[in-house]
Amino acid sequence: MTDMESKTRLVSTLRLLIPRLRLLQKKDTASSVVQRRELSQLLSEGRDASARIRVENVIATDTAVEVMEMVELYCELLLARAHSVWVGCLLRHRAP
């Protein structure tokens, strides 16, 4: 695989990945909102034991969304710098 093919593959993969991450974040955030409403209802009914079990799922979902946000930012950084990295590689290969 040539350098140009590698750069093209990297850029296209990142461009597909970023919207997918955003979609998953929205989906998980919506799920978390629903779970929080259910938790509120469980607590108002006095079902504390069930609420404690479900709160772990809410925390795990929130953590996953935060991780996806970090990965998204890192992918955007890679996408922004892909061109300069590729140019740097070309200059190193052409140098005598």
Side-chain angles (χ1 to χ4, degrees):
M1 186 179 307
T2 66
D3 289 338
M4 184 63 169
E5 290 171 344
S6 297
K7 180 200 176 236
T8 304
R9 188 172 184 182
L10 173 66
V11 169
S12 62
T13 302
L14 289 171
R15 284 190 178 151
L16 291 172
L17 180 62
I18 292 169
R20 185 175 295 172
L21 283 169
R22 287 182 185 147
L23 181 66
L24 286 173
Q25 288 174 36
K26 286 181 183 179
K27 177 184 163 201
D28 284 354
T29 302
S31 170
S32 182
V33 168
V34 170
Q35 289 176 353
R36 281 193 173 98
R37 286 186 190 136
E38 291 172 356
L39 276 172
S40 172
Q41 187 175 4
L42 287 173
L43 290 171
S44 68
E45 294 171 357
R47 298 171 58 192
D48 294 347
S50 296
R52 285 187 190 133
I53 293 169
R54 291 198 183 182
V55 102
E56 293 175 8
N57 290 333
V58 172
I59 292 169
T61 302
D62 289 347
T63 303
V65 169
E66 289 176 16
V67 168
M68 284 187 270
E69 288 174 4
M70 287 187 271
V71 170
E72 178 189 346
L73 290 171
Y74 188 67
C75 288
E76 288 174 350
L77 177 66
L78 285 173
L79 186 60
R81 297 200 176 171
H83 179 70
S84 61
V85 169
W86 179 69
V87 168
C89 287
L90 284 179
L91 291 175
R92 261 189 263 129
H93 289 298
R94 289 184 184 176

